[in-house]
Amino acid sequence: MQNPLLLIALLPDPNIQQEVTAFKEECALLFKASHAFNSPPHITLQAPFRWHEERWEELKIALAAFASGQPSFTIELNGFSHFADRVLFVDVQHNESLENLKKGLDVYLLEKIGLQSKSDHPFRPHMTIAHRDLATSIFPAAWLHFSAIIYQRKFLVNDLAILKHTNKKWEIQERFCFG
């Protein structure tokens, strides 16, 4: 049996979760891209990784300790953007507190439990609304649609979460409150 696939993320408040889910619904209805429904709206801090079941408590203890030392801060969402012609997302304004949280988490997890960030990409916080099944031939129409929408929101970040993949979708396993 394979070790579970996890990721560490920030979750917006319930109202923004509903709004971003509605954007995913538009993608499914208008552009036949529904794969993004497999996860709740989130900002990924630690890309998906495999973790041994017997080390689950160690991971939870490390995340609880890290989170308890973090201050709350506000994240601003501003419009939409994309990666190449396959991924559409709600864009996150540059945020020094978020950058520091990500860098601090990477260092902490490596030092405390040996978990190394494996992403080859620079950190670009976002909330995905379409990916994988968004056809490149449909992308221009999807981008035209979402780039015309004005969407600006703010939310308070006061915890981080572990999400686990269930072979079908990502589910929130646990949340860790900031100090």
Side-chain angles (χ1 to χ4, degrees):
M1 186 168 140
Q2 207 171 30
N3 291 318
L5 189 60
L6 307 173
L7 69 80
I8 300 169
L10 301 176
L11 304 172
D13 65 51
N15 289 336
I16 292 175
Q17 288 235 6
Q18 288 178 343
E19 292 171 353
V20 174
T21 298
F23 294 135
K24 291 180 183 190
E25 290 167 353
E26 280 184 60
C27 286
L29 182 67
L30 299 175
F31 307 111
K32 308 298 184 245
S34 60
H35 193 269
F37 279 119
N38 293 344
S39 64
H42 68 278
I43 298 170
T44 302
L45 292 176
Q46 176 73 39
F49 60 97
R50 299 252 173 226
W51 192 254
H52 296 281
E53 290 274 0
E54 61 271 9
R55 293 185 67 197
W56 179 247
E57 281 303 311
E58 183 184 1
L59 177 62
K60 289 185 351 180
I61 289 167
L63 288 174
F66 175 80
S68 70
Q70 302 305 309
S72 297
F73 61 93
T74 300
I75 286 182
E76 294 182 45
L77 306 175
N78 189 11
F80 298 85
S81 192
H82 60 92
F83 296 130
D85 58 357
R86 292 303 301 265
V87 180
L88 284 172
F89 56 86
V90 174
D91 207 4
V92 175
Q93 290 277 128
H94 176 76
N95 183 312
E96 202 66 37
S97 296
L98 178 55
E99 295 286 332
N100 291 336
L101 178 71
K102 166 66 173 149
K103 289 176 191 168
L105 181 64
D106 286 349
V107 169
Y108 188 87
L109 292 176
L110 182 59
E111 288 177 356
K112 295 295 182 189
I113 59 174
L115 178 60
Q116 186 168 10
S117 179
K118 294 181 179 159
S119 177
D120 297 331
H121 305 291
F123 182 54
R124 174 75 194 275
H126 63 281
M127 284 190 212
T128 302
I129 60 169
H131 68 121
R132 292 194 184 184
D133 61 347
L134 178 62
T136 55
S137 61
I138 298 202
F139 175 82
W143 175 238
L144 185 65
H145 175 81
F146 283 100
S147 64
I149 297 173
I150 295 170
Y151 182 71
Q152 296 176 317
R153 298 289 185 273
K154 293 180 184 183
F155 66 94
L156 183 66
V157 175
N158 54 18
D159 66 5
L160 54 85
I162 296 179
L163 281 69
K164 180 179 179 181
H165 199 267
T166 66
N167 294 325
K168 294 181 181 179
K169 63 181 184 168
W170 289 97
E171 292 182 354
I172 300 164
Q173 293 298 294
E174 193 145 350
R175 295 175 84 151
F176 304 91
C177 293
F178 289 176

